[in-house]
């Protein structure tokens, strides 16, 4: 039985077995692309596949047909030698073929770059797709793995749905049992074909890494959608009160500060570090002061915060 080995070139032998005719066709196609020669399929039926080299005069030939179970395919005759000069053309490497080969690669390495894909195609199959081909075929592979927007949105109820709020119980448990008492809110536009905005709530875990605790998709970002988001957020994570030591952070867009005061019924004292740094640097210029300002702002404990503030005081008492 033929076994695929990604580290080696495909080599055929007389007597090799394949699961079925489709399996043999796929391996034959891979081999032709890998070695880089044109192929002519004299017979390409369920009961037999016969192929020869497409260059006139070349004696390369392969023939396979079913064994007694009429399903398993066997190579019955094989002439492996090429008596031609192969031109390394890869007309067999169609866009669908490339996308199919990228599926396991993209599944294992979802953030792989175009250069990484190109290197894989050159190393394994000796082909070098254009940048546009790489981009297009990677998209096809991602759709094969994840599905596409049209199919996903088509599964929603037919009634008009403007918004959806999602927070899993594991996110709530992770926040309450393993995160710092900090919640940040932000929104961003979705670049897919259906538009909308993504509203998010995140926390910081014990390793100071971002931990997502809730998200929503809405038609736009305004006071109404944030009010809607806070309603479900407070229902799932609340109630919040002045006795619960939580810090909320936002960019103060769309009236978020007022909304947080209203929904969570707590005192909200917020200041944007970036805005403060910009104002401070105009009055007290200098990279050293600015660096310690950010160190104080990003401190997770009182000791390091006080150390940074003390250094600022030593550099410039007015600052």
């Amino acid at each position: 039985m033929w076994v695929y080995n990604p580290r080696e070139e495909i080599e055929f032998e007389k007597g090799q077995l394949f699961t079925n005719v489709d399996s043999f066709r796929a391996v034959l196609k891979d081999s032709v692309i890998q070695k880089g020669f044109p192929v002519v399929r004299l017979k390409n039926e369920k009961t037999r596949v016969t192929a020869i080299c497409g260059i006139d005069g070349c004696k390369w030939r392969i023939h396979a047909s079913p064994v007694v179970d009429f399903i398993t395919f066997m190579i019955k005759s094989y002439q492996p030698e090429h008596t031609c000069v192969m031109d390394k053309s890869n007309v067999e490497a169609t866009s669908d073929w490339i996308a199919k080969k990228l599926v396991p690669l993209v599944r294992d390495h979802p953030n792989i770059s175009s250069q990484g894909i190109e290197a894989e195609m050159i190393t394994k199959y000796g082909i070098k797709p254009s940048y546009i081909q790489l981009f297009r075929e990677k998209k096809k592979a991602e759709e094969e793995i994840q599905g596409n927007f049209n199919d996903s949105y088509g599964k929603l109820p037919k009634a008009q749905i403007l918004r959806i709020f999602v927070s899993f119980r594991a996110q709530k448990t992770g926040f309450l049992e393993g995160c710092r008492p900090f919640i940040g809110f932000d929104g961003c536009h979705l670049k897919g074909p259906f538009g909308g905005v993504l509203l998010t709530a995140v926390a910081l875990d014990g390793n100071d890494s971002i931990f997502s605790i809730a998200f929503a998709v809405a038609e736009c970002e305004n006071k109404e959608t944030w009010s809607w988001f806070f309603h479900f957020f407070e229902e799932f994570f609340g109630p919040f009160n002045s006795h619960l030591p939580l810090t909320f952070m936002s960019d103060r867009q769309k009236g978020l500060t007022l909304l947080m005061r209203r929904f969570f019924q707590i005192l909200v004292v917020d200041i944007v570090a970036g805005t403060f740094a910009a104002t401070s640097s105009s009055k007290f210029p200098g990279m050293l002061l600015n660096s310690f300002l950010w160190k104080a702002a990003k401190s997770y404990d009182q000791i390091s915060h006080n150390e940074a503030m003390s250094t600022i005081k030593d550099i410039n008492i007015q600052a």
Side-chain angles (χ1 to χ4, degrees):
M1 184 67 71
W2 183 85
V3 178
Y4 176 69
N5 187 341
R7 294 188 179 88
E8 297 178 0
E9 283 195 357
I10 297 170
E11 297 294 345
F12 290 124
E13 293 179 7
K14 183 179 177 180
Q16 276 179 329
L17 297 173
F18 299 83
T19 309
N20 50 43
V21 64
D22 292 329
S23 173
F24 175 72
R25 285 169 177 164
V27 178
L28 176 62
K29 188 180 185 76
D30 289 354
S31 176
V32 169
I33 293 171
Q34 195 178 72
K35 291 180 169 55
F37 65 91
V39 68
V40 175
R41 294 168 178 84
L42 301 178
K43 299 291 181 181
N44 194 19
E45 304 163 359
K46 289 185 177 181
T47 56
R48 55 181 173 174
V49 175
T50 305
I52 62 173
C53 179
I55 300 176
D56 290 341
C58 184
K59 293 183 178 180
W60 186 93
R61 185 182 186 278
I62 192 168
H63 171 77
S65 58
V67 294
V68 290
D69 63 2
F70 298 105
I71 298 175
T72 307
F73 249 60
M74 175 189 285
I75 296 178
K76 301 291 183 63
S77 63
Y78 181 49
Q79 167 53 256
E81 299 299 326
H82 280 272
T83 56
C84 65
V85 178
M86 291 185 286
D87 59 6
K88 290 292 180 182
S89 61
N90 274 299
V91 294
E92 294 282 327
T94 61
S95 60
D96 289 339
W97 179 87
I98 295 174
K100 184 179 179 181
K101 291 301 172 186
L102 290 182
V103 167
L105 179 66
V106 174
R107 181 179 282 117
D108 293 339
H109 307 282
N111 297 318
I112 189 170
S113 65
S114 297
Q115 291 81 1
I117 295 175
E118 182 182 68
E120 182 81 3
M121 290 291 102
I122 293 174
T123 303
K124 280 191 175 182
Y125 302 104
I127 62 173
K128 187 178 181 181
S130 67
Y131 176 80
I132 296 298
Q133 283 179 309
L134 290 173
F135 178 80
R136 187 168 56 241
E137 311 324 333
K138 184 182 179 184
K139 281 292 181 185
K140 284 185 180 180
E142 289 172 341
E143 285 191 1
E144 178 71 23
I145 297 167
Q146 304 169 0
N148 59 55
F149 284 106
N150 289 330
D151 292 342
S152 297
Y153 273 76
K155 294 177 181 178
L156 291 173
K158 291 184 179 180
Q160 187 178 22
I161 294 180
L162 287 179
R163 307 165 191 156
I164 182 170
F165 177 93
V166 179
S167 184
F168 299 106
R169 181 166 296 278
Q171 292 176 293
K172 180 178 181 179
T173 303
F175 170 66
L176 296 176
E177 298 183 4
C179 288
R180 299 179 181 277
F182 166 91
I183 300 173
F185 297 103
D186 201 4
C188 68
H189 289 282
L190 294 171
K191 297 181 180 180
F194 292 90
V197 296
L198 183 73
L199 307 178
T200 61
V202 300
L204 287 176
D205 64 18
N207 198 37
D208 295 331
S209 297
I210 291 176
F211 185 85
S212 172
I213 56 177
F215 67 91
V217 176
E219 73 277 18
C220 63
E221 184 183 7
N222 56 26
K223 288 183 180 180
E224 182 187 349
T225 53
W226 273 116
S227 296
W228 170 85
F229 182 87
F230 287 150
H231 168 77
F232 288 103
F233 184 83
E234 204 258 354
E235 186 178 85
F236 192 63
F237 285 91
F240 300 103
N241 54 62
S242 58
H243 302 292
L244 192 64
L246 280 174
T247 298
F248 293 88
M249 185 189 78
S250 77
D251 57 6
R252 299 199 294 184
Q253 295 291 322
K254 316 298 180 185
L256 285 182
T257 301
L258 294 175
L259 289 173
M260 283 191 286
R261 285 198 183 107
R262 190 180 81 195
F263 273 89
F264 305 138
Q265 299 178 356
I266 56 174
L267 176 64
V268 177
V269 181
D270 62 339
I271 185 165
V272 181
T275 305
F276 183 75
T279 306
S280 174
S281 62
S282 63
K283 291 184 178 181
F284 310 105
M287 291 179 60
L288 196 59
L289 274 174
N290 189 63
S291 65
F292 279 101
L293 170 86
W294 280 105
K295 186 175 181 180
K298 293 182 178 182
S299 297
Y300 293 103
D301 59 82
Q302 193 167 355
I303 294 175
S304 58
H305 174 80
N306 290 342
E307 286 178 351
M309 294 298 292
S310 178
T311 305
I312 294 173
K313 183 178 178 181
D314 293 339
I315 297 172
N316 189 322
I317 185 65
Q318 290 181 318

